[in-house]
Amino acid sequence: MGLSKKERAITYFKENEALLQCPVCHEAMHVEENGTVCCDGRHMFDMAKQGYVNMMTHAVTSMYDKSLFEARKQVIDSNLYEAVYAVILNELHDVKTILDTGCGEGSHLDQLQRRATEQFVASGIDIAKEGIVQAAKNYPDMMWIVGDLAKSPYASQSFDCILNFLSPANYTEFRRLLTDTGKVIKIVPQEGYLHQLRELFFADSSKESYSNEKTVTRFRENFENVTVHRVTKTMPITKELGPLLAHMTPMGWHQEKEIEAGKLTEITIDVDVLIGY
Ligand SMILES: C[S@@+](CC[C@H](N)C(=O)[O-])C[C@H]1O[C@@H](n2cnc3c(N)ncnc32)[C@H](O)[C@@H]1O
Ligand SMILES: [Zn+2]
């Protein structure tokens, strides 16, 4: 009989326990036989049966629910972000450890791992428990953690690469977590990102387009070396994908709008891939 999700996760966490640090007292952490992650100061975090560890130190409310993350997985699995992965993969040649901050349901890390020529040790962190539960269920051989990037449970200088895919950044924390030669890869939307959806929903509204200028400026302020790759691609989509695209954005569309999105025949991915070190 094969190992359970939890047993596989315990093994993976144990092998990579050096990456962890207590989010409460900052001591080193150890993984016990039953998967409990525990520091020298006896702060303890249990392994869930799905194979993730909740290391939140305070309660938060997330606007992302289970069905939103299920929609995100289907959209990501449809290869919509293929051209973005090509740019990221070019940066992963010497990367041995990668952390996805605000990883959601984890599919980007999985897609990258499948395409990478060499295997890397991977962890994903998100404050949204629903996302991490799905990540752990679908991708057992990665270290999935419910946690807040502002109080992250990782040791200093642990990662060669930090991925920050359409998620909020924390540059102080990124700097602490990166190795000396480590880099951050941040994906931010550009003005054409999913524009067909916004046109459908926000006719005559200022919400129709947005600028990422401030985000890019802040990124540049935080790194000595920055390169920016713009990826713009319009792809045909199946009629099933439109409603899923509408559902994966946390804007509380009404269901009629999601059904209407079934009329979309194509969608544009338009992002900046920012690389900083
Ligand atoms: C737009 S979603 C992107 C999710 C995923 N990267 C993707 O592309 O499908 C932003 C994610 O950032 C997470 N997030 C927001 N603030 C966070 C924090 N302080 N620490 C960890 N995750 C956070 C949210 O819970 C959410 O899953
Ligand atoms: Zn502790």
Side-chain angles (χ1 to χ4, degrees), residues 1 6 31 33-34 36-38 59-60 68 71-72 86 132 138 153 161 166 175 187 203 213 220 255 260 266 271 274:
M1 220 174 77
K6 185 169 173 175
V31 180
E33 295 288 301
N34 66 357
T36 298
V37 181
C38 155
V60 293
L68 180 148
R72 275 196 110 78
I132 296 296
N138 291 325
C161 178
L166 303 170
R175 207 163 300 118
I187 287 78
E213 209 180 291
R220 287 187 183 283
Q255 214 181 346
E260 215 179 308
E266 57 176 33
V271 299
L274 314 175

Side-chain angles (χ1 to χ4, degrees), residues 137-148:
K137 278 187 186 164
N138 291 325
Y139 314 118
D141 296 314
M142 291 186 184
M143 187 186 254
W144 299 110
I145 292 177
V146 182
D148 185 349

Side-chain angles (χ1 to χ4, degrees), residues 67-133:
S67 67
L68 180 148
F69 284 119
E70 280 164 0
R72 275 196 110 78
K73 173 169 168 55
Q74 289 190 48
V75 168
I76 293 170
D77 285 352
S78 79
N79 279 339
L80 212 58
Y81 296 96
E82 180 94 59
V84 183
Y85 299 145
V87 176
I88 299 174
L89 284 165
N90 251 329
E91 296 295 324
L92 297 188
H93 296 304
D94 296 321
V95 166
K96 301 211 163 30
T97 45
I98 177 163
L99 173 65
D100 186 354
T101 57
C103 63
E105 51 67 55
S107 294
H108 294 306
L109 263 187
D110 172 64
Q111 294 282 342
L112 290 167
Q113 181 82 89
R114 285 163 194 260
R115 290 172 168 82
T117 42
E118 280 169 55
Q119 295 292 294
F120 44 73
V121 170
S123 184
I125 184 169
D126 203 290
I127 49 170
K129 185 179 151 197
E130 290 298 349
I132 296 296
V133 169

Side-chain angles (χ1 to χ4, degrees), residues 22-29 38-45:
C22 180
V24 181
C25 70
H26 311 305
E27 292 290 328
M29 304 210 85
C38 155
C39 79
D40 295 343
R42 303 301 295 165
H43 297 111
M44 284 189 263
F45 305 90

